[in-house]
Amino acid sequence: MTSVITGDIISSRNIKNPEEWLEPLKKVFVGITSNRDWEIYRGDSFQIEIKDIRETFLMSTLIKSTIKKIKELDVRMAIGIGEKTHDAASISESNGSAFIYSGEKFETLKEQKINLAIKTGHKELDDELNLYFKLALIAMDNWTKSSAEIVKISIENPDLSQEEVGHLIGIKQSAVSERIKRASFDEIMELDCMYRKKIGIL
């Protein structure tokens, strides 16, 4: 059992220098998994395998916060969870239900105007998780640059106190607290806990 995220960068053509988002995205991917488990293709599309299926929502949130830190950009992602039946040298040549589900779900996102969704092959679970994701996106799609930054730092440094986070980016602890609240970070972490419980039945 594995998970695959298929995604693309929304409004990437508005950025004259693609390295503005490419380099931060690559850095996140390298931090998440090995080089053979992710690929950026067609300029602004990507696929990444997250082998621990419990981590997939949190990693999706990290990817989104990384891209939302860049003005005018957002990201559209589809999570597929299932089997990996062919482990190739590159992710684009690998196969299995996780890859199929991710691709199939991704094809529906633009028309539905949804920026994060999941397909596991279990309809009841998919319906429930996709409802949670839709609700979370009310906050996540509206993150400002500063909100996205605080989410990214908080995910990447879970052991830091708010005071230490503030020291990292040069703001007071009270400002960190306010940004966390504005980003609905605590609620999103509650959803991550719920996701981990629900996905545990697979």
Side-chain angles (χ1 to χ4, degrees):
M1 190 76 74
T2 190
S3 64
V4 175
I5 302 171
T6 302
D8 70 350
I9 309 302
I10 300 169
S11 302
S12 62
R13 292 178 184 177
N14 292 344
I15 305 296
K16 291 181 181 178
N17 180 11
E19 291 300 316
E20 279 189 53
W21 61 265
L22 262 174
E23 285 308 310
L25 187 63
K26 287 178 182 177
K27 191 174 180 181
V28 165
F29 286 172
V30 169
I32 291 173
T33 190
S34 67
N35 283 340
R36 67 186 294 270
D37 292 329
W38 62 269
E39 190 172 340
I40 297 171
Y41 56 95
R42 285 198 320 230
D44 61 358
S45 298
F46 62 86
Q47 197 165 59
I48 180 169
E49 180 183 0
I50 311 292
K51 292 179 179 177
D52 185 347
I53 63 174
R54 298 167 299 178
E55 291 285 326
T56 317
F57 172 70
L58 186 63
M59 293 303 98
S60 300
T61 305
L62 177 59
I63 292 167
K64 188 173 181 76
S65 64
T66 299
I67 295 301
K68 289 283 285 181
K69 268 189 67 182
I70 303 159
K71 190 178 179 183
E72 296 182 6
L73 292 188
D74 204 342
V75 60
R76 186 184 293 116
M77 293 176 284
I79 298 168
I81 295 182
E83 301 299 327
K84 184 178 185 179
T85 54
H86 178 60
D87 189 5
S90 68
I91 189 171
S92 60
E93 296 172 5
S94 296
N95 207 348
S97 57
F99 296 84
I100 294 166
Y101 291 158
S102 181
E104 286 177 347
K105 197 65 186 175
F106 181 74
E107 291 303 317
T108 71
L109 295 185
K110 194 169 185 179
E111 185 179 338
Q112 294 177 350
K113 297 181 180 178
I114 296 171
N115 288 339
L116 179 64
I118 188 169
K119 184 172 182 179
T120 68
H122 298 260
K123 188 176 185 307
E124 280 190 25
L125 178 61
D126 291 351
D127 289 346
E128 185 175 356
L129 288 175
N130 281 319
L131 175 59
Y132 294 152
F133 288 177
K134 278 183 184 179
L135 294 171
L137 287 170
I138 295 171
M140 295 166 74
D141 283 347
N142 288 291
W143 282 338
T144 61
K145 182 177 177 179
S146 62
S147 294
E149 179 183 43
I150 211 75
V151 170
K152 179 174 168 63
I153 290 172
S154 298
I155 292 174
E156 291 179 328
N157 303 277
D159 298 325
L160 292 187
S161 67
Q162 288 188 2
E163 190 173 350
E164 289 168 326
V165 169
H167 183 71
L168 268 182
I169 55 178
I171 62 175
K172 294 180 180 179
Q173 180 273 328
S174 58
V176 172
S177 178
E178 182 57 37
R179 289 187 187 185
I180 283 173
K181 185 177 179 182
R182 201 159 52 234
S184 299
F185 181 71
D186 290 342
E187 291 80 5
I188 290 165
M189 290 303 98
E190 286 182 40
L191 173 53
D192 180 52
C193 289
M194 176 64 74
Y195 169 84
R196 289 169 188 268
K197 288 178 184 177
K198 294 290 180 182
I199 221 69
I201 70 170
L202 296 178

